[in-house]
Amino acid sequence: MIPALMPTYNRADLAFERGEGAWLWTEAGRRFLDFGAGIATSSLGHGHPHLTRTIAEQAAKVMHVSNLYRVPQAETLAARHVAASFADSVFFCNSGAEANEGMVKAVRKYHAENGHPERFRMICFEGAFHGRTLAMLAATGNAKYLAGFGPPVEGFDHVPFGNMNAVRDAIGPGTAGIMIEPVQGEGGVRAADLRFLRELRAVCDEFGLLLALDEVQTGMGRSGKLWAHQWAGIEPDVISAAKGIGGGFPLGAILAKEHVAKHLKPGTHGTTFGGGPLACAAGNAVLDVVLAPGFLDGVDRVARHLWRGMLGLADRHPAVVEGVQGAGLLLGLKLRPEVSNTDMQAAAVAEGLLTVAAGMNVLRVAPPLIITEAEADEAVRLLDRACLALTPSSAKDAAQ
Ligand SMILES: *Cc1c(COP(=O)(O)O)cnc(C)c1O
């Protein structure tokens, strides 16, 4: 018989009762070091006092009023995001896929309002992940995810990640913009070359396209800067955000320059829950922490420390680990073809460490941004043991 909870996930047989910082405890009292952070989402870890207090206090005052009224928490949060980024205006929603839908709508609307409704196509990249709604399945372009859901939504063209010639070839009279993750998360923790991102900005300027970045996974400090595109020194026209911006409370956002945002007038786009008092209070609490002086420098420092530790794994376990990739606290352990990332994930769980599998046989390591160097060291120690457990016996013999 089908479970009451629809079986859309292959879940690990673990249920967590409480968390503190980077640690989670099961109902049975077993402790885990959480270097998955609910898929790069629990940016402040678990039970962060400022975040949990803010949510509790706001919930007791008023939780939901709808966007028929002013929402001061959303006004404040938007103003702070504008002050801290390239953006002139912000739209709040509830998830990454919803933010991406709105971002693509904004790009299409910009061209339509400028007299070019025929320009609605987005250039996307192989290995991308943009979400599970019908249009975002098409933007993702993964045949496995599209299968069985009817004709893909029109208007998404895919080219190889990092290939500038292919991008130029794909530009046509119907092209509206380019949509890319600065670091492909689900697709295998692949970081775009900073030079490639700069070239995308230039080609958008050359052809009058909009540069739309999916920063759902890379944003809100995960890269060591507030937004990952800042490493390239470029300004996009519009970005999407979600995952970490609510610290685990559902919150998504579109951040846009004025020339894009000004076309989303009343009646063009909307949401019932998005930008509510509770979610925006959570978003403000997360910003309080992430924008505090020195916090992002600390993320950068601990990320480099973790990177070095993970490079050590590649040195010590050449039969298991091929290399380390990614950026900031979104790191991937690229495994040898003989070792599957899901086996590695299970081996890490056996050692008390939570991680997340990603595409291209990569084990994703995306801890909360508040981890200490000691916790990074502990994660590497546990991964060391997991690697040892998965080392083929032939390689063990060779090493002796
Ligand atoms: C997770 C993710 C999404 C989808 O976000 P949801 O909140 O699951 O809809 C979109 N883009 C990227 C890059 C993501 O990592």
Side-chain angles (χ1 to χ4, degrees):
M1 213 176 65
I2 189 166
L5 184 59
M6 209 176 279
T8 52
Y9 281 92
N10 286 315
R11 297 167 191 271
D13 187 16
L14 292 168
F16 300 106
E17 185 179 46
R18 66 188 180 91
E20 197 182 316
W23 300 86
L24 280 170
W25 283 264
T26 65
E27 288 163 338
R30 212 175 142 206
R31 189 177 80 144
F32 287 87
L33 183 54
D34 182 10
F35 269 45
I39 318 189
T41 295
S42 308
S43 44
L44 304 189
H46 305 283
H48 191 282
H50 180 55
L51 178 60
T52 53
R53 197 181 317 117
T54 301
I55 290 172
E57 286 175 2
Q58 185 60 52
K61 282 188 200 157
V62 60
M63 194 155 26
H64 175 78
V65 296
S66 88
N67 287 305
L68 302 177
Y69 308 99
R70 284 184 47 216
V71 179
Q73 296 80 0
E75 290 170 1
T76 303
L77 184 58
R80 295 175 77 191
H81 270 300
V82 165
S85 76
F86 75 98
D88 299 317
S89 198
V90 183
F91 176 87
F92 292 113
C93 56
N94 308 285
S95 72
E98 191 189 358
N100 282 334
E101 291 274 341
M103 178 163 77
V104 171
K105 279 179 73 177
V107 170
R108 290 183 173 193
K109 195 72 168 171
Y110 165 88
H111 288 290
E113 293 288 318
N114 282 294
H116 289 285
E118 78 286 1
R119 294 179 75 168
F120 65 87
R121 308 192 69 83
M122 301 298 289
I123 295 177
C124 301
F125 292 87
E126 290 168 10
F129 183 80
H130 297 303
R132 299 288 196 153
T133 58
L134 282 171
M136 287 311 112
L137 283 179
T140 295
N142 184 328
K144 224 171 54 189
Y145 298 162
L146 280 160
F149 297 116
V153 171
E154 181 63 12
F156 299 94
D157 302 312
H158 289 84
V159 300
F161 191 66
N163 186 329
M164 206 56 216
N165 289 335
V167 170
R168 285 185 166 273
D169 280 350
I171 296 172
T175 305
I178 298 176
M179 181 170 178
I180 188 168
E181 299 155 82
V183 181
Q184 286 191 338
E186 308 298 311
V189 196
R190 276 201 294 181
D193 244 34
L194 297 182
R195 203 182 54 196
F196 182 64
L197 292 176
R198 289 182 203 118
E199 286 171 353
L200 290 179
R201 177 67 273 175
V203 85
C204 282
D205 293 341
E206 186 182 341
F207 290 92
L209 311 177
L210 297 185
L211 182 60
L213 302 180
D214 181 343
E215 290 239 29
V216 167
Q217 192 152 165
T218 53
M220 209 55 199
R222 184 149 294 278
S223 73
K225 292 193 187 288
L226 188 59
W227 304 106
H229 67 261
Q230 294 176 267
W231 288 104
I234 56 164
E235 288 205 337
D237 297 288
V238 56
I239 70 173
S240 57
K243 289 204 164 86
I245 65 170
F249 197 92
L251 176 65
I254 308 165
L255 288 75
K257 285 286 209 192
E258 182 169 5
H259 59 270
V260 182
K262 70 180 182 187
H263 300 299
L264 292 184
K265 294 192 265 283
T268 57
H269 193 53
T271 160
T272 297
F273 288 120
L278 190 51
C280 289
N284 275 307
V286 174
L287 261 195
D288 291 341
V289 175
V290 172
L291 292 183
F295 183 84
L296 287 171
D297 289 339
V299 171
D300 187 47
R301 211 173 314 120
V302 77
R304 288 170 198 274
H305 184 80
L306 178 59
W307 178 284
R308 283 192 296 273
M310 285 173 56
L311 280 179
L313 294 171
D315 281 345
R316 287 190 296 280
H317 306 282
V320 176
V321 179
E322 225 165 70
V324 181
Q325 54 199 49
L329 284 180
L330 181 54
L331 295 179
L333 208 51
K334 172 86 173 158
L335 302 177
R336 300 214 20 115
E338 305 82 50
V339 180
S340 91
N341 58 350
T342 48
D343 285 351
M344 181 59 142
Q345 187 188 2
V349 165
E351 301 297 341
L353 179 72
L354 305 177
T355 58
V356 189
M360 302 201 311
N361 207 28
V362 165
L363 187 79
R364 185 170 11 171
V365 175
L369 308 183
I370 47 89
I371 56 161
T372 61
E373 292 195 355
E375 285 163 337
D377 291 342
E378 176 66 3
V380 169
R381 193 182 70 81
L382 298 173
L383 283 170
D384 235 320
R385 294 165 59 107
C387 285
L388 214 51
L390 288 185
T391 301
S393 49
S394 56
K396 274 184 193 152
D397 295 344
Q400 276 164 7

